[in-house]
Amino acid sequence: MIDLRSDTVTKPTQAMREVIAQAPVGDDVYGDDPTVNALEERVAALFGKEAGLFTPTGSLANQLMMRTLVQPGQELLAEVNSHVVRAELGAAATFSGITTRTWQAPFGLLDAAQPLAIAAPNAGPYLVSTAAIAIENTHNFGGGTVQPLDQMKALYEGATKEGIAIHLDGARIWNAHIASGVALDQYGKYAQTISVCFSKGLGAPIGSMALSTRDRIATARIWRKRYGAGMRQVGILAAAADYAITHHMHDLAHDHRRAQLLATAIASIDSSLIDPATVETNIVGLNLKSLSITAAELADRTKSAGLLIGALGPHFARLVTHRDFDDAQCDQAIQILRKTLVG
Ligand SMILES: *Cc1c(COP(=O)(O)O)cnc(C)c1O
C-alpha cells in the first residue's frame, strides 16, 4: 500500500533508531535531559530565537505560544483554512479563552494587507481587540504554499506598529526553506513566536518545538506541565529530531520533485483538478468540484487500487509526498491515479 495521506506516516530509519538507542537522557521536567537541552538550543539558534521548548505535538507548540500572545477574550486573526483554526479542535478557545476571526486567501497565500485590514487593536471597552495574527508556512490546506518573505516582513512591520504580535505556525517551515532558499533565521525575524514539527517531512517519529524569547518559553514551560505534557527521559525523541534535522532536511527537495511529478501527471489527466504551477513543496491538493465523485469516493477507489490519499473536504483531496515514498512508488501512484480518474 502506498500511503500519501500525510508526511507523518514515515517510520524511523535503522540509523535513527541507533541514535535513539545511544541518546544520553535525564529527567526533562527537572531540566536534566542533555539531549533535549541541546536540541532546544540548536533549533532556537537556527531560527534566531532565544529559547525553545520541546513538545509532543505541533498543536501543543501552537497553543502554548498563542496563549503567551493573546489574553482571554482577545482575538487571534488567522487564514480561514489554517491549522490553528481548522485542525486543533477549538483548542485556543477551549484552553485559553481566545476568540478568532479569519480572512480568506487563495491557496492560503499571504497578502499582508488582508489581515492588517481586519485587525482591530485596542478596540476599546465594547469590541474585541486583536492581540495576534497567526500565519502558516508552508500553508498545509492551501496546498503546501510557501509564504513570500516580503509579505511576512510587511505583515510583521504593519502589525508591530499596531502593537499586534505574529505567530508563525512553521510545522513545515523546513519545506519552505528548502523550496525557497530563504534561511530559517530570516523566517524567524518576522514572528514573535514560532512552532516547528520534526514529525512531518523530517521523518522523526514524534516531536515539535515552540520558539520565542526566554521569558515566553519559561511561561510556556509551566503551561506545558499544567497541560500534562511535562516529559521525563524524552531525549530519546529529541535525539531522533536532532538526527532528522542533520540528515533528512535536504532530502525534502526529493519530496518536492515527486509532488511536482504527481501534479503534472494528474493535470495531464484532468487539468481542472490541479495547476502544477501551484505545487511548490510536498503537498498536492486536488480540487474535485468538476468530478461526479466526492473526495471520499475517490479515496476509496484509490485505496482498493493500493494508494491511500486524504479526503479533507467533500471536494478536496490531498496527496502528501514524504521520505518513505520513492520514485518507483511515484510511478505506481501515477498509474493508479490515471486508472481511477479515467476509469
Ligand atoms: C501537522 C501540523 C501541525 C501540528 O500537528 P500535530 O499533529 O499536533 O503535531 C500544526 N500546523 C500545521 C500547519 C500542520 O500541518
Side-chain angles (χ1 to χ4, degrees), residues 191-221:
Q192 275 79 8
T193 61
I194 307 176
S195 68
V196 301
C197 286
F198 310 114
S199 57
K200 299 271 168 83
L202 288 185
I206 302 171
S208 292
M209 193 171 287
L211 303 162
S212 190
T213 58
R214 243 180 276 289
D215 278 356
R216 280 200 200 91
I217 292 299
T219 303
R221 197 175 290 277

Side-chain angles (χ1 to χ4, degrees), residues 66 76-79 82 84 103 132-136 155 165-169:
M66 292 184 323
L76 172 85
L77 304 181
E79 203 277 328
S82 59
V84 296
W103 77 92
I133 300 170
I135 59 171
E136 200 172 301
L155 180 64
I166 304 297
H167 173 67
L168 167 60
D169 178 347

Side-chain angles (χ1 to χ4, degrees), residues 19-20 22-26 28 31-42 54 209 233-243:
V19 167
I20 289 171
Q22 307 297 326
V25 294
D28 182 51
D32 284 350
D33 192 304
T35 309
V36 172
N37 294 341
L39 181 72
E40 288 174 344
E41 274 173 38
R42 179 186 185 191
F54 193 53
M209 193 171 287
Q233 285 71 24
V234 71
I236 55 171
L237 297 180
D242 183 68
Y243 180 90

Side-chain angles (χ1 to χ4, degrees), residues 6-8 56-60 62 82-84 87-88 136-141 169-172 195 197 199-200 207-208 283 318:
S6 178
D7 45 8
T8 56
T57 66
S59 297
L60 183 59
N62 278 337
S82 59
H83 195 278
V84 296
E88 297 181 14
E136 200 172 301
N137 196 6
T138 65
H139 196 298
N140 179 351
F141 300 136
D169 178 347
R172 294 190 181 80
S195 68
C197 286
S199 57
K200 299 271 168 83
S208 292
I283 299 179
R318 190 186 69 166

Side-chain angles (χ1 to χ4, degrees), residues 56-223:
T57 66
S59 297
L60 183 59
N62 278 337
Q63 294 302 326
L64 289 173
M65 289 296 89
M66 292 184 323
R67 70 167 301 126
T68 70
L69 302 177
V70 187
Q71 298 305 306
Q74 292 187 322
E75 77 181 356
L76 172 85
L77 304 181
E79 203 277 328
V80 74
N81 281 313
S82 59
H83 195 278
V84 296
V85 167
R86 283 194 66 201
E88 297 181 14
L89 304 176
T94 305
F95 300 128
S96 307
I98 295 172
T99 70
T100 315
R101 220 149 34 97
T102 56
W103 77 92
Q104 183 161 23
F107 303 103
L109 182 64
L110 179 64
D111 171 356
Q114 285 192 292
L116 291 175
I118 62 168
N122 308 314
Y126 309 120
L127 298 170
V128 179
S129 292
T130 308
I133 300 170
I135 59 171
E136 200 172 301
N137 196 6
T138 65
H139 196 298
N140 179 351
F141 300 136
T145 309
V146 178
Q147 305 297 7
L149 191 68
D150 65 337
Q151 290 303 309
M152 289 179 62
K153 180 169 190 269
L155 180 64
Y156 181 80
E157 287 173 354
T160 302
K161 261 190 234 145
E162 308 275 8
I164 296 171
I166 304 297
H167 173 67
L168 167 60
D169 178 347
R172 294 190 181 80
I173 193 75
W174 321 102
N175 297 80
H177 161 62
I178 293 296
S180 67
V182 171
L184 295 171
D185 63 352
Q186 284 294 108
Y187 285 132
K189 268 182 164 171
Y190 303 121
Q192 275 79 8
T193 61
I194 307 176
S195 68
V196 301
C197 286
F198 310 114
S199 57
K200 299 271 168 83
L202 288 185
I206 302 171
S208 292
M209 193 171 287
L211 303 162
S212 190
T213 58
R214 243 180 276 289
D215 278 356
R216 280 200 200 91
I217 292 299
T219 303
R221 197 175 290 277
I222 294 167
W223 279 96

